[in-house]
Amino acid sequence: MSAAAADDDKQREEKGLDRLRRKPDLSPIPASDLDQHVQLTPWEVLHSLGRAITLARRGAGRGLAEHWASLKYNQALTGDSKSFMALSTEGKETADYYKAIQSGELGTGFALALATRLLSRRYPNRLISITPADTALRAGWALNSRDSGPKSGYRYRPQFFAEVWRPGEASRVFPIACKGNHSGLSASHAQLSSASAHVEAVHIGAWDETPCLVFSTELPLDGPLTVHTLCSDREGGWLDAPTRVLDHALEDENVYPGIQPPAQGDKRAEPEPGFHVSPDLFGWFQHALARTAAAGLAAFAGDAKATAQYLTKRQGQRRFAGITHAATDSVQDARHRLFGIDFVGTDHVFRLNRERVEAFSGVAEDLFHLLEEGRVEQYRREIYARRSSWPHTTWAPRWNGPVSIHTDGSVLAMRPLRE
C-alpha cells in the first residue's frame, strides 16, 4: 500500500494538487481478531448492504425502497461451505458492463459484514451499530453546496461509522472506508491507499488518535473473492457516557469544518481539511449516531413516518415525509413469523430467471413499535439484552428460504413465491 500511496502523491504533485493526509500506522488485522478464512452467506452480505443504503441519497429513487437494490446481486456470487466464494457466471457478465457499481456495492456488503464480525469479537459485551457517515455528518456540517451552513469543501470522508456501545456507558466510534474492484492485488493496494485518506478526514477527540478500518474487496473474474483489511489501533475514538436523552429530537448544528492539530509551541496551528468531533461535541455526536441508526432501521422496515422523526432537515427529513414516486416507494404492511419471532416490515417481488421470488425486510414487531413511538432509549436497552438470543440458523423451513437476522432486530428473508 505504501508504494501505491507514494505513486499517488507523485501524480498529485505533478498535477499541482495538494498532498493528501493519510491515516498513519495502518496494519493488518491480527489473526486473533478475525480468522483468515471467514464464513459468510450471500444473504448476510445482501442484508448488510441493504441496511447500509436505506438512507442513501443517490440515484432517482426518492422513496424508502432503495435498499431493494441489493437484491440485484442475488445471483452474482457462487460457492458453498466447502469452497471459497467467487463471482458466478452472471456476476462475471454483469462486471463486463457495471464493474464499478457491482464491485463497489458488493465491497460495501462484505466490508460491513466483516467489520461487524471483527468488532463483535473484540468487544463481546457490546453491540455494533453501523451508520452512513454522510447522513450522520450532515447533521453537523454542510457537506455540499445544497446544505446550509459553512461548507466543508472537502470530498474525502469515510463511508460509514461503526459505534461500539453499551447502554449508559461511553461508546467508541470507528470510521470505515470500503472499496471494491474486479482487478487484482495492485488495484486493492491503490484502493487501500485512497481509503486511508477517507478515514483520516474524521477525527474524534485528540489529534490523530481515532481508530479506523479500511477495506478493499477483490472480486476477480477468475479465482476466489478476497477482502483486504487494514486497521489503525489508536487509543481514541471514545465518546463520553451518554449525556443526552436519545428520545429527544436532534437539531442540526453548524460546526465549522476543519481538524485542529496540536499547537506548535505558542503558535496555534492552522486547521487541516476535514471534520473534527471535539470533546464538546461528544454528546451531540452520540445523539446523532443513535438517531441516524434508528432512522435507517425504520426505513428498512418501510415506514416513512417513523423514519422522518429521527432525521434533521439537513439529513433529508423531507425526503421521507413527502410524496414519493410509486416505483420507489415502500410500505410497512407485511408481517411474518420466523423462528418463533414476529417481524413486521415491507416486501418486494422480483424475478430470478423467470421464477418469482419474494423478499421481506423488517424488524422484530415489539422492537419496531418502540422505534415507531420514538423510544430509542428503550429500543437500545432491549436489543442489548437480547444480543445473544437471536437465532443463527440461515434457513427457515416454514418460510422455505434463506434468512439473515442481525442483532439490531432486523431481518432479510427470501423465498420462491408460492402460486
Side-chain angles (χ1 to χ4, degrees), residues 28-43:
I29 301 294
S32 57
D33 288 341
L34 195 64
D35 298 333
Q36 186 175 8
H37 297 154
V38 179
Q39 286 192 333
L40 289 173
T41 62
W43 42 95

Side-chain angles (χ1 to χ4, degrees), residues 23-30 33 118 122 212-214 229-233:
K23 177 65 71 174
D25 302 331
L26 286 173
S27 59
I29 301 294
D33 288 341
L118 163 67
R122 283 187 178 181
C212 71
L213 296 168
V214 298
T229 310
L230 297 175
C231 67
S232 172
D233 287 327

